[in-house]
Amino acid sequence: MSSVNLRTKTVFITGVSSGIGLACAHTFAEQGANLILAARRLDRLQALTTDLIEKHGVAIHFGELDVRNQPAVERFVENLPPFFKAIDILINNAGLSRGLEPVHNGKLDDWEEMIDTNIKGLLYVSRAVMRGMVEKNSGHVINIGSIAGHQVYPGGSVYCATKFAVRALSEGFMMETVNTPIRVSTVDPGMVETEFSIVRYHGDEGRASATYKGLTPLSAVDVAEAVVFVATRPAHVNVAEMVLLPTDQASVYHANRRTT
Ligand code: NDP
Ligand code: 8X3
């Protein structure tokens, strides 16, 4: 069976203004896919779109979107231009962590933001997009989970809970669409050096870079290439779950940090 050709596909990626989502936008555009790009930072979206059209000549629709805003998510999907209406692949990437405090010192705003983005936002986007996939009887949802959806670490209770939820939702979506050709996958990376830790530590770049000290983390491109692999398997193959770790990481507790 032949692999899926992305040239004929429309791919919707959330959270493309940075990190893994940005790398996915580049990698899927390189493969000739037409793209729907969303994030909150519109200036970055505009620059990215110009760059991708110049380099790859693909069709792109982009728009400012906060995935936590359910009516805005509905409007975004409802108002897609006709060429982009039939979404073939949804990459639920938008997400974040905030803080590393134990629950008894936890900041409520941080919890709300993680839960609203990583769980509820993913649900809102999936609901709006999967409706169309079920109608046309085809599609592929690829969720960006995390090693934090497999193991919990102190200070990560809430973030890990959101990523355990992403894993549960991926399994549930897969079961709910098993009588269709729709595929549902989760790609679950370990440490990836992006803006993730800067966001976690509310802009403290020193603390963020210490996260990766002495080891070689994954790059956003490493993850994007894995996502392209998942998306291009032949139609009868579903990579249900892929855990992708740096060679220097064996679990959320075990990392090989060199001192020299
Ligand atoms: P980045 O901070 O570099 O990128 C996060 C992206 O998500 C940004 O484009 C941001 O865009 C977007 N985003 C955040 N909140 C919202 C929102 N409410 N609505 C729309 N977009 C939003 O981090 P990563 O690339 O590392 O993170 C991407 C995903 O990968 C996340 O789900 C994260 O949990 C997951 N992950 C990351 C790992 C890592 O070690 N880096 C490891 C495992 C998983 P904007 O602010 O412009 O809206
Ligand atoms: C991000 C990876 O280990 O920082 O999901 O939680 S970790």
Side-chain angles (χ1 to χ4, degrees), residues 95-113:
L96 80 176
S97 68
R98 287 290 196 192
L100 207 53
E101 292 82 16
V103 163
H104 54 272
N105 288 330
K107 296 192 174 65
L108 294 183
D109 285 350
D110 287 353
W111 295 358
E112 308 287 2
E113 193 176 2

Side-chain angles (χ1 to χ4, degrees), residues 200-242:
R200 162 166 269 176
Y201 298 123
H202 295 279
D204 182 339
E205 295 196 13
R207 202 173 167 202
S209 64
T211 309
Y212 313 106
K213 196 162 179 230
L215 54 77
T216 307
L218 297 172
S219 69
V221 172
D222 294 327
V223 181
E225 286 174 351
V227 176
V228 166
F229 174 83
V230 168
T232 52
R233 290 316 82 214
H236 70 288
V237 178
N238 182 34
V239 181
E241 185 172 284
M242 178 190 278

Side-chain angles (χ1 to χ4, degrees), residues 146-148 153 159 190 196 200 252:
S146 172
I147 184 69
Y153 51 87
Y159 176 69
F196 177 86
R200 162 166 269 176
V252 293

